[in-house]
Amino acid sequence: MTSTRWFALIAALFLLAFAGSGFLYARSQSADYDAHARAIAAIGRARHLDRLLSEQVLEARFGLLNQYDPITSTELDLFDEARELRARLVEVVGQTPELDRALAEFDRAVEERRSVVERFKGENSILKNSLRYLPTAADESSAGIAASAGKHDAELARDLNGLVRAALVYNLIGDRSTREVLEHAVEKLTARKTELGADAAPQFELLLAHARVIGERQPSVDALVKQASSDAVAGRLLAVENLYDARFSRAAASADRYRQILYVWSLCLVIAVAITGVLLLRMYAGLERRVAERTAELGRALDALWGEMKLARKIQEALVPAQPALTGCEVAASMKPADEVGGDYYDVIRSDDHEWILIGDVSGHGVPAGLIMMMCQTAVRTALERDPKMTPDRLLVLVNSVLTQNIRQLGEDKYMTISALRRDPDGTICFAGAHQDIFVYRADTDDVETFETSGLWLGIKPNAEGSFTTRDLRLGTGDVLVLHTDGVTEAMRDGALFDCDGMRRVLKAAKGKSARQILDGVLGALEGFELKDDATLLIVRQVETGAARRTAAEPAGVALGR
Amino acid sequence: MLKHTTGIRAWLALGAASAVALAGLAGCSEENAQKAAAQQGQRRTARAATREPLLPLPEVQKLDAKRVALGRRLFHEPRLSGDGKVACSSCHDLANGGDDGRPRPLGAHGKTGLVNAPTVYNAALNFVQFWDGRAATLEDQVNGPLNNPLEMASSWPNALGKLKADASYVKDFDECFADGLNEANVRVAIADFERTLITRGSAFDRFLEGDQNALDAAARSGYETFKSVGCIACHQGSNVGGNMFQRFGVLGDYFKDRGNVVEADYGRYNVTKNESDRFVFRVPSLRNVEHTAPYFHDGSAATLEQAVQVMARYQLGRKLGDEQVHGILAFLRSLSGPMVGAAAEPKP
């Protein structure tokens, strides 16, 4: 898989991992503990109000509370709290049928208790009034009876007191025996009603009515108190609380589980991140290695490429004559290659009595130029082998026709400048070819003579018949013949060319110098110049005039130069 | 290459750090669980500070002034009735004790209501509204007269339609309520206005608060009589009544003696259908009672003296002497406070 695909896969996995984390986190927070605390507080408040109401009812029954505002207030608070309770519980555990049922039962219990309390208030007020009034009523009755009867009836007084006492005791104790005492007292006094006068009767009736009220209301009030302070509401509230707790515990446990899973998940993510990191590092190390390998390959390829350059150089060096020598002359030669092999060529050939000097420059560079140089040399040597006496122009025509054909076959668009010089036994030099101008230093005038060359470049057209003209020149003793390629004259320094003037300047000071010295002089003058092309120099200094005889031994003053 | 390796290391560090951070976040919820958000006793039930069975009137709770003004305007608004002539203030006259001085109120289209109109003053302190206690809150009470064909003879669509046609009402409601002019908000506005109708500053309240000279001798002895005779058993609390139900006719059959029993006389029975609730009514408040004649649900007692005698006979089973009645009346008169609702002019 490509590295892009890898990265895409890893990115997708990470997104998935974080989405998973997000989901787990959300679920682990699903148990809302804040809302739970509020719900618990609401339950607590409801419980408190329920107990408070029971307390207040008891207080009212036993005279510790003599007005009902607190009870009303608590009832209203409890009603509001029941509503709030529903909202708080549902907020945490949501609405379920069981919770709904339990809350509805709680609401009903609260409502039932409320109506009980309302009845209690009414009954309690009546009972209290009667209890409070009974002693007064008894006194008033007693006074009234005494007034109307005109005498004090001790037994009646006793019975009246007995009634009051029985009623009060019954109110306090409220059991069957005290009730019987009260009923008995009422009966007794009722029986005495007939004895009373018309004046006292209403008062007496009232007393008995209040005593009966106490007898009737006491049990009902106590029953109402018992009912109102029972734990019916508390029981329902507890049922609601238990249900809520169970549900919340489940939700909390579930949230806990999710949280634990989230911990493990996060741990796995951390490990996954670490592993991914290690993999990435390895991948980068691998990449670095590959780059190094490729670089090495490139190096080798480059070497191979440069190898070609070496080959070209080799060809060039192979073609250049090892020790050029001419009879009766000092010969000094040097070829300075440019960075890329430029295609310079020169040769010195001895054939029969004739000596040939050739100098040329193949266009282009590298191996193709080298091959063409080689072809040229072969063609020249072959031609001269057969006919050493041929004229330079003839030679060039011949070489051209061979070269042009071969150049075409190479597929190269190359050409070659070349000059060929033939030195005859009597010392005459004839030359042809359109290479660079030939300079000759004349010893007698101490001046430089320039022979302009003309003709055609080789490789342009297959048949160069009539394109070359042979000319001659003669060298006297001490004269110097200088052949060069354009690498010398086109050398540049600070934007200025070395040019023919540069050459001539050096040659003008050639008096008395050997060929080697003159060569060194030109090379010295070229110091600091940048070579654009191969720079070749061939210096020939005539030391002897007269017939040039080939001797078996070494010619005089052979100078070698490279 | 070195530069790239450093970049990778940085990303690794970031990835590891974020994974650890996530794990840490998950752990935070544990701490939240421990944090208890307990609400500190927001509801405190009133406990009586003194042993007196009567308490002075409490201060009016803080209410939004704009809403109260809007409620006042609605209270005086006759367009809330079917014939456009009857407003709340028609039967609950704020200048005259908060009721209408009639045995039964005169409703829209010349109809007569079924029960005597209770006073709107201090009605906010009653634990339920109406003689039979069928409305739990002042807001609920508004529905009664509005829909009653014998009282305002209207309906909510009708009333709201007329209110919405008045741009000033729409504007006022939009200013006072988030959801503007609707039934619930009309009721809230009227109720909030009624909550301001507390007649603080009566002579008796000043007496309770410590001013011994606030009551004359008659009123003071009348208060004692009121307690000893037993009126206090039901007419107690800060509103001198209004916080419990009681049967009309405890020690005597009032309705049998009065005769001509109608459904309105059944009282609480009409709401609970409980036989034990027959002839049971909300105990009325005695504050400003000298201004709210005639008395009882049937308006049968034209004077306070008559009312006191009827109560004494049928609730206490007693006949009171003249001096006792005189004292009680003096005491009852000391329960009157200023007619606070009559002060401001309603907006047209």
Side-chain angles (χ1 to χ4, degrees):
Chain A
M1 220 195 296
T2 67
S3 48
T4 319
R5 287 249 184 88
W6 263 119
F7 276 116
L9 180 67
I10 288 175
L13 282 173
F14 265 115
L15 272 173
L16 212 69
F18 283 118
S21 301
F23 166 75
L24 285 172
Y25 179 70
R27 292 305 273 248
S28 76
Q29 298 294 304
S30 63
D32 187 349
Y33 281 92
D34 282 344
H36 172 65
R38 282 196 293 274
I40 296 293
I43 291 174
R45 279 197 301 276
R47 187 164 282 139
H48 163 74
L49 287 167
D50 168 53
R51 294 226 182 88
L52 186 62
L53 192 56
S54 304
E55 240 174 64
Q56 287 169 336
V57 163
L58 282 165
E59 282 179 20
R61 170 70 180 97
F62 294 109
L64 296 170
L65 193 62
N66 53 16
Q67 44 101 6
Y68 294 130
D69 278 354
I71 291 182
T72 321
S73 179
T74 308
E75 277 183 330
L76 290 173
D77 283 350
L78 185 55
F79 177 76
D80 286 344
E81 197 57 53
R83 255 204 327 244
E84 165 116 351
L85 183 67
R86 177 180 285 272
R88 289 282 83 81
L89 296 186
V90 166
E91 188 187 355
V92 182
V93 296
Q95 207 145 0
T96 69
E98 302 132 323
L99 192 63
D100 261 353
R101 248 199 317 276
L103 281 167
E105 279 176 18
F106 171 68
D107 285 341
R108 204 171 35 244
V110 168
E111 197 49 50
E112 272 171 23
R113 205 255 292 276
R114 193 171 176 188
S115 59
V116 164
V117 170
E118 289 315 312
R119 281 211 307 281
F120 160 77
K121 282 194 260 179
E123 298 291 282
N124 191 45
S125 295
I126 296 167
L127 179 62
K128 260 170 56 175
N129 262 0
S130 292
L131 282 168
R132 190 178 220 193
Y133 180 55
L134 199 66
T136 317
D139 286 343
E140 285 172 1
S141 202
S142 177
I145 290 167
S148 76
K151 65 172 167 65
H152 176 72
D153 186 341
E155 201 189 324
L156 188 63
R158 210 177 39 247
D159 284 346
L160 286 171
N161 277 335
L163 176 66
V164 173
R165 195 173 66 242
L168 294 177
V169 167
Y170 176 58
N171 173 56
L172 200 61
I173 311 291
D175 66 0
R176 201 153 53 112
S177 65
T178 53
R179 185 182 177 78
E180 279 169 8
V181 169
L182 175 61
E183 281 170 359
H184 181 68
V186 170
E187 269 170 33
K188 204 163 168 199
L189 279 171
T190 312
R192 307 272 315 253
K193 208 166 58 177
T194 50
E195 296 170 20
L196 303 169
D199 284 342
Q203 196 59 37
F204 197 69
E205 273 300 332
L206 202 58
L207 173 65
L208 290 176
H210 277 287
R212 277 190 216 104
V213 162
I214 292 169
E216 285 160 19
R217 298 293 204 253
Q218 199 278 359
S220 76
V221 167
D222 273 357
L224 287 169
V225 167
K226 204 162 172 187
Q227 222 180 327
S229 52
S230 80
D231 58 358
V233 170
R236 292 278 175 253
L237 185 60
L238 188 64
V240 167
E241 189 182 11
N242 288 340
L243 206 64
Y244 166 78
D245 268 345
R247 277 197 68 80
F248 182 73
S249 305
R250 277 204 296 276
S254 154
D256 270 349
R257 270 200 304 277
Y258 275 111
R259 188 167 49 246
Q260 273 148 19
I261 295 173
L262 181 61
Y263 284 148
V264 172
W265 178 255
S266 301
L267 200 64
C268 292
L269 275 186
V270 170
I271 293 171
V273 166
I275 291 175
T276 309
V278 166
L279 284 175
L280 279 172
L281 275 175
R282 282 232 201 106
M283 203 187 296
Y284 262 89
L287 282 172
E288 288 208 32
R289 210 176 36 247
R290 291 240 289 271
V291 167
E293 280 171 21
R294 293 275 156 84
T295 311
E297 275 179 35
L298 272 174
R300 285 196 290 277
L302 205 59
D303 283 344
L305 183 67
W306 279 111
E308 197 199 284
M309 282 294 144
K310 284 202 189 120
L311 185 60
R313 177 119 15 251
K314 272 198 155 68
I315 294 171
Q316 196 184 52
E317 285 168 8
L319 297 174
V320 163
Q323 290 177 343
L326 292 166
T327 336
C329 296
E330 286 172 359
V331 180
S334 143
M335 185 159 73
K336 272 205 166 9
D339 284 335
E340 290 189 80
V341 171
D344 275 5
Y345 150 77
Y346 72 90
D347 208 355
V348 174
I349 305 166
R350 199 177 250 164
S351 175
D352 236 10
D353 288 336
H354 298 276
E355 292 164 329
W356 286 80
I357 307 166
L358 293 116
I359 186 164
D361 188 355
V362 180
S363 74
H365 51 266
V367 168
L371 287 174
I372 291 163
M373 278 194 281
M374 190 172 271
M375 281 192 279
C376 179
Q377 194 208 50
T378 309
V380 164
R381 287 199 175 208
T382 308
L384 292 181
E385 182 85 9
R386 264 245 307 240
D387 184 8
K389 289 193 190 54
M390 71 162 75
T391 55
D393 63 89
R394 180 93 201 97
L395 174 68
L396 292 179
V397 167
L398 198 59
V399 171
N400 175 70
S401 75
V402 170
L403 221 58
T404 309
Q405 212 172 355
N406 283 345
I407 286 172
R408 295 280 151 79
Q409 270 180 321
L410 261 183
E412 302 276 349
D413 215 0
K414 300 255 184 274
Y415 60 89
M416 187 177 180
T417 63
I418 187 166
S419 288
L421 295 91
R422 192 185 77 191
R423 189 158 173 262
D424 294 333
D426 65 352
T428 340
I429 297 174
C430 59
F431 66 92
H435 191 68
Q436 311 300 105
D437 294 345
I438 299 169
F439 296 115
V440 177
Y441 171 75
R442 297 289 183 198
D444 45 2
T445 56
D446 198 24
D447 202 2
V448 177
E449 197 180 334
T450 309
F451 289 89
E452 285 182 15
T453 57
S454 66
L456 192 66
W457 292 344
L458 300 194
I460 302 298
K461 61 183 191 182
N463 187 358
E465 197 77 54
S467 304
F468 298 101
T469 321
T470 304
R471 291 166 57 191
D472 348 297
L473 64 94
R474 274 197 80 87
L475 286 179
T477 313
D479 284 350
V480 182
L481 175 78
V482 177
L483 298 171
H484 70 282
T485 60
D486 61 0
V488 175
T489 45
E490 280 173 15
M492 202 183 292
R493 183 174 70 181
D494 299 333
L497 297 170
F498 187 71
D499 220 6
C500 304
D501 294 329
M503 289 279 305
R504 276 195 280 266
R505 247 199 318 279
V506 178
L507 292 176
K508 278 200 177 122
K511 187 183 181 77
K513 290 204 179 117
S514 70
R516 179 78 234 198
Q517 283 167 336
I518 295 166
L519 178 68
D520 288 341
V522 178
L523 292 176
L526 275 173
E527 292 273 310
F529 278 82
E530 195 189 333
L531 295 177
K532 295 280 174 61
D533 199 355
D534 293 353
T536 305
L537 281 162
L538 195 61
I539 315 280
V540 176
R541 182 163 176 269
Q542 180 101 15
V543 284
E544 279 178 14
T545 52
R549 286 268 183 260
R550 225 174 106 193
T551 56
E554 65 281 331
V558 167
L560 299 163
R562 266 274 187 265
Chain B
M1 268 315 134
L2 183 66
K3 190 169 72 174
H4 288 137
T5 315
T6 313
I8 286 297
R9 290 216 174 96
W11 276 109
L12 273 180
L14 184 65
S18 54
V20 168
L22 260 179
L25 262 177
C28 270
S29 63
E30 280 280 21
E31 293 173 40
N32 288 343
Q34 311 308 327
K35 202 169 54 174
Q39 290 181 25
Q40 296 294 324
Q42 303 217 330
R43 296 166 180 283
R44 259 176 302 163
T45 309
R47 307 292 295 259
T50 72
R51 288 297 319 266
E52 285 297 335
L54 294 182
L55 302 172
L57 285 171
E59 283 191 18
V60 176
Q61 59 180 129
K62 287 267 178 290
L63 293 166
D64 179 44
K66 275 207 199 142
R67 276 197 196 175
V68 166
L70 181 57
R72 180 201 307 281
R73 195 176 158 205
L74 288 165
F75 193 83
H76 294 279
E77 183 54 74
R79 282 179 279 180
L80 290 175
S81 62
D83 65 354
K85 294 199 184 116
V86 179
C88 311
S89 55
S90 309
C91 303
H92 301 283
D93 183 359
L94 295 175
N96 290 307
D99 67 348
D100 58 0
R102 300 168 54 90
R104 294 200 178 85
L106 188 60
H109 310 300
K111 296 279 201 295
T112 305
L114 293 175
V115 287
N116 181 259
T119 176
V120 70
Y121 280 114
N122 307 311
L125 299 174
N126 291 336
F127 80 139
V128 291
Q129 305 298 329
F130 296 121
W131 283 102
D132 57 11
R134 64 180 183 272
T137 63
L138 288 173
E139 280 85 354
D140 290 343
Q141 187 275 343
V142 176
N143 286 328
L146 191 113
N147 291 304
N148 191 331
L150 303 176
E151 294 175 11
M152 290 173 87
S154 183
S155 66
W156 277 114
N158 195 333
L160 284 174
K162 288 192 223 164
L163 289 180
K164 280 183 182 158
D166 185 334
S168 65
Y169 268 122
V170 174
K171 177 166 157 296
D172 284 345
F173 269 93
D174 283 339
E175 274 175 34
C176 297
F177 295 96
D179 48 347
L181 174 51
N182 61 30
E183 177 193 322
N185 292 338
V186 168
R187 292 199 268 131
V188 167
I190 293 175
D192 275 356
F193 167 63
E194 289 167 351
R195 287 187 180 100
T196 64
L197 300 173
I198 307 292
T199 61
R200 275 169 62 82
S202 65
F204 184 73
D205 280 359
R206 278 181 275 123
F207 171 74
L208 283 178
E209 280 159 1
D211 182 0
Q212 294 299 318
N213 298 323
L215 290 185
D216 63 10
R220 249 205 299 274
S221 86
Y223 178 43
E224 292 308 317
T225 314
F226 190 83
K227 285 195 280 189
S228 64
V229 156
C231 314
I232 201 74
C234 300
H235 295 281
Q236 34 67 42
S238 55
N239 216 10
V240 196
N243 63 4
M244 59 183 283
F245 294 112
Q246 188 55 277
R247 176 169 295 110
F248 195 178
V250 174
L251 281 152
D253 195 333
Y254 168 82
F255 289 102
K256 177 158 154 247
D257 292 348
R258 191 200 72 184
N260 202 17
V261 175
V262 295
E263 200 183 335
D265 294 326
Y266 295 158
R268 190 101 180 109
Y269 172 81
N270 291 334
V271 177
T272 66
K273 304 299 180 208
N274 226 323
E275 198 50 54
S276 58
D277 285 334
R278 205 184 277 273
F279 306 128
V280 169
F281 297 90
R282 181 196 65 189
V283 171
S285 160
L286 296 182
R287 293 216 176 251
N288 304 305
V289 72
E290 66 169 322
H291 300 301
T292 60
Y295 305 103
F296 306 136
H297 72 287
D298 53 12
S300 59
T303 67
L304 198 48
E305 190 175 337
Q306 282 173 356
V308 169
Q309 289 289 16
V310 166
M311 282 279 111
R313 179 163 169 215
Y314 288 101
Q315 302 301 95
L316 304 174
R318 299 168 70 136
K319 189 168 188 312
L320 296 176
D322 286 341
E323 212 177 289
Q324 289 173 309
V325 171
H326 181 71
I328 287 174
L329 289 175
F331 161 69
L332 291 178
R333 280 193 289 271
S334 76
L335 293 174
S336 299
M339 300 287 105
V340 292
E345 287 300 314
K347 266 184 11 195

